[in-house]
Structure formats: structure tokens, C-alpha cells
């Protein structure tokens, strides 16, 4: 698949209406080193996200210009809301429950480790993860040495079950609106897969090619590189929005993998989109500034900040994880 398709509108609109969409602006000017795992809390009407190397959790209230920040004990890979209240955070050193209100009140039990990781934390860590429609947590890993020894896990029955393996950087996790298709990506391989998914049993089918992108050659300038697939979100039309790391763009792919829309960004490194706002038509995008050159950061001052824009098609709501579905023996 070409990484430079002609942009097309994702839905019919008059010029006046079109002008209101895809207008990027910062949601917050507080930069993260590597912003990741954003989600819109449908009850609180707030945006949560992480800084992985900064070992921090952020919460951005509606209308606020600066986020609330909490320090974490290890690198977090993903965060999801809990149906029982609070959050689940998959950190390098295991699975943690985090209750912002209890932590703010000084209650040490508000930040509690629930499970050890299913891997050697000196070699890898958790990465992208989300809850499915039944409240089960799915989370992938990333190998520190960037070897194809990572995989995808489902948390149920009080333990992490490895469902897939043989990839390097697990990313792009999302589901179709009917829940029958799971999307999963290997960022280093520049590939996105689709897999048949049984919502009731959590049985996952074999990987099928969904989209593949050209790798960057050693001599290739970043300006001509389309990027590699990172985090993703799905809208109500079943289209897959993916952040293209180092490609300075977001792509909207059809359910068949065709590029329908390309949105150019003011930063080189986007990491993950998520839909939010009361109507789920505000698209938030986390970005990164870690290990970027001084020249690039000077030219792209919003690197590491959260960006936002209005879009014509709403996204799917955030799924809650359920402790009953994840920690109790089946």
C-alpha cells in the first residue's frame, strides 16, 4: 500500500462544513516525552493518557489548558478505565489498579499492584492495550532489544494468557463496531493485521494482512517517509484511524484497508488517536518528543503535546475493563 495516497473526504460535506473539520490545535501545551494510550472517559468526560518514559499518568479536564499529573513507579504501557471505578494500568512491573481520588487523599491503597507481568521485565514491557466488549483486558508487549519475541495477552481468570506471539512491537489494538474483527499491528514490521474475533469466547483467529507500509531505507530523509503504524482507533463507520510514527500524519483506512483520508500533522511523531467529547467527534492525538533532534523540536514546538480536531464521523466509545472478567477464576 502506498503511504502517499491522495487525500479524500471521509464523508460528503459542503465546503463550508468541511472547513470546520480536521483543523488541528493543541488540547494541552504540557508536553510528554512519549505520550500514549489516550482514552476519553465517558462518565467523567475527561481525557486520560500516559507518558511512558516519563512514568506518568495525565488527566485533562474539559476546558482545562493544563493536565493533572500523577507519578508512577515504572513505565506504563497502557491505561483503561475500570467499571468498578478507577483505572487499570499495565506497567513494566505488572498490572496496577490506580484510583486518582484515593491517591489524592493520601491513601496508599489507591495505587495497588494486582499481578506480576508474564515476562522478564528486564527484557520487555507492556505496550498498547484496551478492554474488549466483555471487559477483558488485552495488552501487548514490546521487546527492549527490538527482537520478534513479543506478543499479545488476554487477562482473564486471574492470569495473562498469551494469545499471539512472534512480533516485535505490539500496537494498533482495536475492534470493529460489531466486535467480530480485531485489529493488531507490529510497528517495527510496518504491518497491520485483522483477525476474526469471537466476543463471547475471546477466541482469536489467524492473522490476516490488513495494511502494509514501506519501510524507510537507511539513506531516506524523514520528509519522504510515510511512517510506521502505532496506536489506533475505530469510528462508527468501521474505519480504522492509525497514527503513523515518524510519518507526520494520521491515516483513516476503510474496513478493507484502503486509505480514505490522510491528515498531515504539525509534529513528526504521533502515537495514538482516540475519540472524545460529548459526541465522540473530537479526535485527540498523543505525540512524542523523546530522542528527537534539537532542530526538529525547534521547528515542531508541539511535539509531545496532545492535539485535537473535530471530525465528521464519530468514534466508538471507550470500553471499560471489569475486574470480575479479568481477575476471578473462570
Amino acid at each position: 500500500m502506498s503511504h502517499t495516497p491522495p487525500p479524500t473526504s471521509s464523508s460528503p460535506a459542503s465546503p463550508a462544513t468541511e472547513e470546520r473539520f480536521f483543523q488541528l490545535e493543541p488540547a494541552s501545551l504540557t508536553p510528554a516525552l512519549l505520550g500514549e494510550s489516550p482514552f476519553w472517559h465517558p462518565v467523567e468526560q475527561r481525557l486520560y493518557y500516559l507518558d511512558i518514559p516519563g512514568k506518568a499518568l495525565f488527566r485533562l479536564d474539559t476546558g482545562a489548558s493544563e493536565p493533572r499529573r500523577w507519578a508512577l513507579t515504572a513505565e506504563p504501557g497502557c491505561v483503561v478505565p475500570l467499571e468498578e471505578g478507577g483505572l487499570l494500568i499495565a506497567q513494566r512491573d505488572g498490572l496496577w489498579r490506580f484510583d486518582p481520588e484515593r491517591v489524592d487523599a493520601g491513601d496508599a491503597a489507591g495505587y495497588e499492584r494486582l499481578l506480576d507481568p508474564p515476562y522478564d521485565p528486564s527484557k520487555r514491557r507492556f505496550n498498547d492495550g484496551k478492554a474488549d466488549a466483555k471487559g477483558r483486558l488485552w495488552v501487548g508487549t514490546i521487546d527492549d532489544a527490538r527482537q520478534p519475541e513479543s506478543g499479545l495477552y488476554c487477562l482473564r481468570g486471574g492470569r495473562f494468557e498469551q494469545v499471539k506471539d512472534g512480533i516485535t512491537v505490539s500496537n494498533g489494538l482495536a475492534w470493529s463496531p460489531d466486535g467480530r474483527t480485531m485489529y493488531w499491528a507490529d510497528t517495527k514490521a510496518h504491518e497491520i493485521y485483522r483477525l476474526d474475533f469471537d466476543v463471547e469466547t475471546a477466541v482469536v483467529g489467524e492473522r490476516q494482512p490488513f495494511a502494509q507500509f514501506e519501510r524507510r531505507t537507511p539513506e531516506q530523509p524523514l520528509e519522504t517517509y510515510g511512517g510506521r503504524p502505532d496506536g489506533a482507533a475505530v469510528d462508527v463507520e468501521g474505519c480504522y484511524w492509525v497514527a503513523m510514527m515518524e510519518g507526520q500524519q494520521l491515516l483513516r483506512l476503510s474496513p478493507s484497508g484502503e486509505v480514505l483520508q490522510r491528515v498531515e500533522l504539525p509534529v513528526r511523531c504521533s502515537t495514538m488517536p482516540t475519540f472524545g467529547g460529548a459526541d465522540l467527534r473530537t479526535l485527540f492525538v498523543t505525540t512524542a518528543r523523546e530522542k528527537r533532534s534539537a532542530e526538529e523540536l525547534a521547528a515542531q514546538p508541539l511535539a509531545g503535546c496532545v492535539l485535537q480536531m473535530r471530525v465528521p464521523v464519530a468514534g466508538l466509545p471507550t470500553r471499560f475493563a471489569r475486574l470480575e472478567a479479568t481477575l476471578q477464576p473462570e
Side-chain angles (χ1 to χ4, degrees):
M1 177 185 298
S2 171
H3 64 254
T4 56
T8 60
S9 174
S10 58
S11 66
S14 67
T17 302
E18 185 77 15
E19 192 174 353
R20 297 200 306 266
F21 299 128
F22 312 112
Q23 303 300 306
L24 282 157
E25 61 181 3
S28 167
L29 292 175
T30 299
L33 291 173
L34 176 55
E36 263 289 6
S37 193
F39 78 85
W40 181 260
H41 199 296
V43 177
E44 299 180 10
Q45 293 290 290
R46 293 161 160 167
L47 181 74
Y48 285 87
Y49 60 101
L50 300 171
D51 183 348
I52 296 178
K55 300 178 185 177
L57 167 71
F58 289 95
R59 184 185 70 202
L60 185 65
D61 291 359
T62 300
S65 59
E66 299 298 328
R68 173 76 167 84
R69 180 186 185 277
W70 291 271
L72 303 175
T73 57
E75 299 144 286
C78 65
V79 56
V80 300
L82 268 172
E83 187 176 90
E84 294 87 347
L87 311 169
L88 274 185
I89 304 178
Q91 299 184 173
R92 179 184 285 271
D93 59 353
L95 183 72
W96 293 71
R97 183 173 183 176
F98 189 97
D99 188 321
E101 291 187 5
R102 294 175 66 185
V103 170
D104 285 348
D107 184 354
Y111 186 20
E112 173 190 16
R113 182 153 72 172
L114 303 176
L115 288 174
D116 291 334
Y119 53 76
D120 181 350
S122 70
K123 296 181 179 179
R124 60 184 60 95
R125 64 167 172 81
F126 281 126
N127 205 44
D128 183 37
K130 291 178 181 174
D132 68 17
K134 292 293 185 178
R136 296 169 294 233
L137 177 67
W138 295 77
V139 57
T141 56
I142 179 172
D143 185 76
D144 290 338
R146 300 300 188 267
Q147 296 299 311
E149 297 176 359
S150 294
L152 180 66
Y153 294 81
C154 178
L155 174 59
R156 56 180 175 176
R159 66 187 185 91
F160 287 102
E161 298 178 6
Q162 186 165 350
V163 177
K164 297 293 178 183
D165 59 11
I167 69 165
T168 304
V169 181
S170 180
N171 253 320
L173 194 63
W175 284 267
S176 60
D178 63 8
R180 298 173 62 183
T181 298
M182 171 189 278
Y183 296 99
W184 186 41
D186 186 345
T187 299
K188 185 175 181 182
H190 291 64
E191 295 177 343
I192 306 172
Y193 316 108
R194 56 178 296 155
L195 307 93
D196 292 335
F197 185 77
D198 189 309
V199 177
E200 296 300 323
T201 64
V203 172
V204 181
E206 294 302 314
R207 279 181 266 181
Q208 306 167 45
F210 176 64
Q212 186 166 6
F213 304 90
E214 296 179 7
R215 298 187 185 221
R216 183 187 176 200
T217 62
E219 301 81 14
Q220 185 178 3
L222 280 172
E223 289 73 19
T224 65
Y225 173 52
R228 51 196 180 276
D230 203 315
V234 172
D235 64 32
V236 296
E237 293 183 352
C239 293
Y240 181 90
W241 285 86
V242 59
M244 299 299 290
M245 169 61 74
E246 284 197 317
Q248 201 157 335
Q249 62 178 343
L250 289 175
L251 298 180
R252 183 180 187 244
L253 307 181
S254 74
S256 62
E258 176 190 3
V259 177
L260 300 178
Q261 183 104 27
R262 182 178 69 252
V263 179
E264 295 184 4
L265 302 175
V267 298
R268 178 70 58 194
C269 298
S270 60
T271 56
M272 186 175 176
T274 194
F275 291 91
D279 60 0
L280 295 179
R281 290 173 61 196
T282 298
L283 191 68
F284 295 95
V285 186
T286 48
T287 69
R289 63 186 291 114
E290 182 190 34
K291 300 178 181 178
R292 310 312 299 177
S293 69
E295 180 182 15
E296 180 179 302
L297 294 177
Q300 301 183 356
L302 293 179
C305 297
V306 179
L307 307 177
Q308 63 181 355
M309 64 181 178
R310 295 288 290 167
V311 293
V313 178
L316 299 179
T318 299
R319 298 288 189 183
F320 285 76
R322 296 172 55 234
L323 289 180
E324 179 182 357
T326 57
L327 296 183
Q328 292 186 7
E330 296 180 324

